[in-house]
Amino acid sequence: QVQLVESGGGLVQPGGSLRLSCAASGSIFSIEDMGWYCQAPGKERELVARITSDGITYYVNSVKGRFTISRDNAKNTVYLQMNSLKPEDTALYSCYMVVRTTRVTYVEVWGQGTLVTVSS
């Protein structure tokens, strides 16, 4: 069994920064993709950023140049550095990981979410 624990959300003023973290624990052989989704009130969940095991990154257009995703494989952790935050970034941010629990078995795991509120 694998669990994800997120941290780093909160209230920040427009233009400010936050750093989200998501750490995995449990039966982990290796971790493939890691990423972050967000869901704003009244909207569908959207992929914000992802990073592969090779370090290849993807960002949704609305956050390019402002957000940076990174990973620490030794700590089984993914980060999302969020700069120049805007009110429209307000959402519940959830991390996910594609975890290899054995050499041939994969499982997709989700965190419970951390709330980011951008407001003056």
Side-chain angles (χ1 to χ4, degrees):
Q1 199 170 12
V2 179
Q3 298 85 34
L4 303 184
V5 177
E6 298 149 332
S7 61
L11 173 65
V12 64
Q13 292 187 343
S17 297
L18 285 174
R19 188 192 194 207
L20 307 183
S21 300
C22 174
S25 62
S27 180
I28 299 170
F29 180 80
S30 65
I31 302 178
E32 305 300 319
D33 281 11
M34 298 178 172
W36 293 90
Y37 277 78
C38 73
Q39 186 165 21
K43 295 187 177 182
E44 294 191 355
R45 190 173 61 184
E46 175 183 46
L47 177 63
V48 177
R50 65 184 284 261
I51 183 168
T52 70
S53 58
D54 295 329
I56 297 171
T57 58
Y58 160 85
Y59 298 93
V60 68
N61 284 339
S62 59
V63 308
K64 286 181 180 178
R66 300 190 298 121
F67 291 9
T68 302
I69 190 170
S70 60
R71 60 191 286 167
D72 185 333
N73 292 326
K75 296 181 179 179
N76 293 327
T77 298
V78 63
Y79 305 96
L80 186 67
Q81 178 66 43
M82 310 166 71
N83 297 330
S84 303
L85 282 161
K86 304 175 181 180
E88 51 263 42
D89 295 321
T90 295
L92 182 70
Y93 285 75
S94 301
C95 65
Y96 82 92
M97 296 187 187
V98 177
V99 178
R100 194 189 296 230
T101 54
T102 70
R103 195 176 295 274
V104 297
T105 305
Y106 293 84
V107 61
E108 186 173 271
V109 190
W110 288 83
Q112 290 190 332
T114 184
L115 184 62
V116 172
T117 303
V118 185
S119 175
S120 55

